[in-house]
Amino acid sequence: MVPMNTRWIQAVVVLCSALLAAVAHTEDGPGCLDCHTADADIPVHVVFSSVHGNLLGGGAAACTGCHGPSEAHDRRGRRNPPDVSFGPKWTSDLEARNGACQGCHAGDKQLLWLGSEHEQENLACADCHTAHSQQDPAMSVELAGDQCVSCHSRQRAQMKLPSRHPIAEGKTACTDCHNPHGSATDADLHQVTLNENCYSCHQEMRGPLLWEHEPVTEDCSTCHNPHGSVNDRLLTARGPALCQQCHSAAFHPSLPYGAEGLPAGSSGSSNRNLVGKNCTNCHSQVHGSNHPSGARLTR
């Protein structure tokens, strides 16, 4: 038979345990981890290994920081969605989902999200980002490109052409040129103009130069396709055809060259401008020159 004092101590211990559990439940919020246990819902618990789980304080606070108090969802026996749900079982409206993210991510590169091209396409942050992940693929140089080309199929094809930026090799990334969260410039570029964007890597082309080539100072994409090309150096066309799109007449005869100028062509003789590649054989400083005699971009 258990002595009275022992039973009294046991009762006090049980009561204290219940009180501590109630207090802990109240402090932690709706007690998310009471149901979402590590054994039952492993993907949920991955958040505690990520920056989100650490910054939001851990425990249920890491859940309610993004999903809201969700008191209706916490009522046992009822299948009510959280206040903010990112799917797939429940999906809240777009404004609520993006608002949960923008509560913290509202400055710096996310400053121009409202009104941006992606926002107007009704994209949610969770369409690109994975919050319950130790490493968000969208934040990885090696994996972020896959996120972009899953929608931008034309650029996906161009990035596999012979001349391209080394995005597939992980040496550059789409985000080196574009800000997916919005920009004040066309195509969500980081810089105020396309040329300034290019100069951030290709500084040797910046100038100012004594002799400048007008298309270069106006727009790099006049001659180059930044996402990829079948022509060398990302050119939109091969020389001399590229040059002759502007230079229909020059200080020397500028005639359209065709197959008849190739060896074994109908003319019977080969044209040196076709056989010897193109105009850049002589006009080698096509981006501009600082040489006193470089008015024709020959040196």
Side-chain angles (χ1 to χ4, degrees):
M1 187 172 180
V2 180
M4 284 293 294
N5 58 345
T6 303
R7 284 186 292 177
W8 181 82
I9 293 173
Q10 290 176 341
V12 172
V13 170
V14 171
L15 179 60
C16 289
S17 299
L19 288 172
L20 288 172
V23 171
H25 181 83
T26 302
E27 291 178 349
D28 285 348
C32 305
L33 305 182
D34 293 348
C35 294
H36 296 281
T37 62
D39 294 335
D41 210 341
I42 294 298
V44 169
H45 283 256
V46 178
V47 73
F48 299 116
S49 299
S50 71
V51 64
H52 287 107
N54 293 329
L55 290 178
L56 294 172
C63 305
T64 57
C66 295
H67 295 282
S70 305
E71 294 178 357
H73 177 65
D74 183 48
R75 293 169 186 167
R76 305 297 186 264
R78 296 186 181 184
R79 296 185 176 181
N80 296 317
D83 293 347
V84 180
S85 177
F86 302 90
K89 186 175 181 179
W90 298 294
T91 303
S92 301
D93 63 86
L94 181 64
E95 185 177 353
R97 284 182 287 159
N98 283 352
C101 300
Q102 290 180 311
C104 296
H105 302 281
D108 194 25
K109 294 181 180 179
Q110 294 81 28
L111 189 63
L112 297 175
W113 169 256
L114 294 178
S116 68
E117 193 168 343
H118 284 144
E119 194 265 344
Q120 293 183 49
E121 292 292 334
N122 294 323
L123 287 180
C125 304
D127 290 335
C128 297
H129 294 279
T130 306
H132 285 254
S133 175
Q134 190 169 7
Q135 182 181 19
D136 184 358
M139 303 298 291
S140 168
V141 175
E142 294 79 11
L143 303 176
D146 294 335
Q147 299 283 91
C148 301
V149 298
S150 62
C151 293
H152 299 280
S153 55
R154 182 177 182 180
Q155 283 72 25
R156 177 202 288 269
Q158 291 174 334
M159 285 160 50
K160 295 183 182 296
L161 294 176
S163 181
R164 54 188 171 78
H165 282 107
I167 295 176
E169 292 79 7
K171 295 181 179 180
T172 57
C174 303
T175 52
D176 289 341
C177 297
H178 303 278
N179 181 359
H181 300 107
S183 169
T185 57
D186 187 38
D188 288 337
L189 296 174
H190 286 297
Q191 307 298 332
V192 294
T193 65
L194 172 64
N195 280 21
E196 287 298 321
N197 225 55
C198 298
Y199 294 153
S200 61
C201 290
H202 303 281
Q203 297 177 7
E204 71 279 8
M205 307 299 179
R206 180 182 295 274
L209 299 170
L210 180 61
W211 307 106
E212 294 183 333
H213 194 187
E214 288 81 358
V216 176
T217 58
E218 291 173 1
D219 194 332
C220 298
S221 63
T222 302
C223 298
H224 301 279
N225 186 335
H227 294 108
S229 172
V230 295
N231 304 303
D232 189 33
R233 298 180 184 276
L234 299 171
L235 294 175
T236 56
R238 290 192 302 170
L242 175 62
C243 303
Q244 291 184 319
Q245 291 177 6
C246 296
H247 299 281
S248 58
F251 67 96
H252 60 68
S254 181
L255 303 173
Y257 302 122
E260 66 277 359
L262 293 172
S266 59
S267 64
S269 60
S270 60
N271 188 299
R272 62 179 181 177
N273 292 305
L274 285 175
V275 176
K277 290 190 177 180
N278 54 46
C279 308
T280 56
N281 283 347
C282 296
H283 306 279
S284 57
Q285 303 301 313
V286 68
H287 291 100
S289 173
N290 271 325
H291 196 282
S293 300
R296 301 294 182 181
L297 306 181
T298 55
R299 62 183 71 189

